[in-house]
Amino acid sequence: MPDTVTEAGIGGDKALDLFGEILAPASMSTDHPAMVSFIPVAPTEASILFDLVVSASCIFGGSWLEGAGAIYAENEVLKLLATEAGLPDGAGGVFVQGGTNGNLSALVAARFDAEHRLADAGKSRPTRWSLVTSEEAHSSLAHCARVMDVDVIKVPVGADGRMTGTAIEKAVDGMWDSVFAVVATGGTTNFGIVDDIASVVTTAKEHGAWVHVDGAYGLAGMFAPSTKPHFDGMAGVDSFIVDPHKWLYAPYDSCALIYRNPSIGRAAHTQHASYLDVLTDTDEWNPSDFAVHLSRRARGLPLWFSLATHGVGAYREAIESNNVVARDIATVIRESDHLELVREPMLSVVVFR
């Protein structure tokens, strides 16, 4: 390969030819229809089109002052997600780059809230903070713990792969004073298993811990009739994430982070400086205040445009059709004499030998 970035430049035509003939064939388009076993992305044509519009529009999506129209549209989608989960009016959040950023931002807010509640009660913080996850939790949560310098208490799952409140109580026994958050998984990466969110909420709240749901892949299943019941208990959580680029048919990269009480997220994340006073001294909805970021593109707009174009009902039908296909595939595997179904599918992941 020759050098592609030079002092004089190689010209647009040559650069485009280089990409089309050499670089693009060395990359993988993960939205190919044959990618039936690949989770990361399956965007609608409407969302792809509007991703181009977002890039071409050069809208700063970090503040209401500069991007009010775009932020309003994003907030329409965030409100839809919060309402579908059963959170009360006033819940909201922000679109961030991906699930790792979303989980980290939520957990930073959770620890911030725990520390302030202790201070208000005249109590001191523990020597080491801990968060609770299942042993099947996504790798991003262990990474978040390293970034935050906190410990992880891993909870064994049952034969069905689900973390329960009873298992949490047993695993955390005697250590609740160090726990600032319990993280349930809404669709594990390997098997698509949804933890018993209702019992997780009950147990965590008995001990005053924040409940976060990592639903990066699977939480979109709450829009489908057959998988909606798996998400019982969502109405009681403090925060959750879902990645539209996974199962909500949006392009890379997008994660919706929702807070039950967005004011906690704002208090934890708002950056302060003289050049930001024009933003932070107002009550306007500034997406930069709700996560670990400052500069941001309006990455929620492609999903908004697709939802506005097709309607939520079309999304419910599409997700349900994925569930039906998963169950049909499981039936074929179960009836085959040379294949073995490893686990009955809970969502759209089918694992077999």
Side-chain angles (χ1 to χ4, degrees):
M1 277 286 293
D3 291 337
T4 60
V5 179
T6 66
E7 286 290 336
I10 63 175
D13 289 342
K14 187 174 181 180
L16 190 59
D17 288 343
L18 180 66
F19 182 79
E21 296 172 6
I22 299 176
L23 302 179
S27 305
M28 180 187 298
S29 293
T30 54
D31 63 341
H32 192 283
M35 283 287 193
V36 293
S37 64
F38 214 59
I39 286 176
V41 68
T44 63
E45 291 182 356
S47 67
I48 294 171
L49 169 65
F50 218 73
D51 197 42
L52 177 63
V53 173
V54 171
S55 296
S57 299
C58 200
I59 297 170
F60 175 64
S63 71
W64 190 263
L65 175 69
E66 294 147 300
I71 294 165
Y72 176 87
E74 287 187 311
N75 285 350
E76 288 283 277
V77 180
L78 295 169
K79 180 181 178 181
L80 167 68
L81 296 171
T83 301
E84 193 69 28
L87 295 190
D89 290 344
V94 62
F95 286 94
V96 297
Q97 174 253 342
T100 298
N101 187 314
N103 284 333
L104 176 62
S105 297
L107 292 171
V108 166
R111 183 175 63 180
F112 175 91
D113 183 56
E115 290 181 340
H116 279 258
R117 285 190 288 111
L118 285 175
D120 291 343
K123 299 178 181 179
S124 52
R125 57 172 289 173
T127 304
R128 294 280 299 175
W129 280 114
S130 302
L131 63 90
V132 177
T133 72
S134 93
E135 61 185 2
E136 297 293 325
H138 190 266
S139 59
S140 63
L141 293 165
H143 181 65
C144 291
R146 289 196 300 273
V147 172
M148 297 175 68
D149 191 27
V150 300
D151 296 327
V152 179
I153 301 173
K154 291 190 176 183
V155 179
V157 298
D160 59 0
R162 307 177 78 194
M163 180 174 72
T164 66
T166 300
I168 292 172
E169 196 72 75
K170 183 176 180 180
V172 185
D173 185 39
M175 297 182 287
W176 278 108
D177 287 346
S178 73
V179 174
F180 69 91
V182 177
V183 183
T185 301
T188 58
T189 305
N190 288 338
F191 291 106
I193 300 298
V194 181
D195 288 334
D196 185 355
I197 297 171
S199 71
V200 170
V201 169
T202 298
T203 297
K205 293 305 178 183
E206 287 175 353
H207 296 279
W210 180 290
V211 181
H212 174 67
V213 175
D214 175 7
Y217 147 58
L219 195 59
M222 67 183 175
F223 284 97
S226 68
T227 47
K228 175 83 170 178
H230 297 325
F231 299 95
D232 288 348
M234 283 296 300
V237 308
D238 296 290
S239 60
F240 69 82
I241 65 162
V242 58
D243 287 0
H245 66 236
K246 287 193 170 71
W247 205 7
L248 287 173
Y249 314 106
Y252 287 124
D253 48 13
S254 181
C255 168
L257 163 61
I258 310 289
Y259 297 104
R260 182 184 198 85
N261 184 352
S263 65
I264 298 174
R266 175 185 278 134
H269 290 294
T270 298
Q271 299 185 34
H272 297 277
S274 58
Y275 48 83
L276 296 174
D277 288 347
V278 68
L279 305 180
T280 56
D281 288 347
T282 72
D283 292 327
E284 293 174 339
W285 189 276
N286 299 317
S288 289
D289 294 343
F290 296 98
V292 183
H293 61 193
L294 188 59
S295 297
R296 71 178 291 273
R297 71 196 301 265
R299 57 172 37 89
L301 286 183
L303 175 59
W304 165 79
F305 185 74
S306 186
L307 281 165
T309 298
H310 299 293
V312 180
Y315 272 70
R316 296 188 195 281
E317 292 175 10
I319 295 168
E320 186 61 51
S321 72
N322 295 153
N323 292 330
V324 170
V325 169
R327 292 192 290 267
D328 287 348
I329 292 173
T331 298
V332 171
I333 293 169
R334 199 182 303 109
E335 295 174 352
S336 169
D337 59 4
H338 65 282
L339 299 174
E340 176 189 354
L341 188 66
V342 174
R343 187 190 294 275
E344 291 292 335
M346 195 169 186
L347 298 175
S348 64
V349 176
V350 183
V351 183
F352 63 93
R353 297 185 182 90

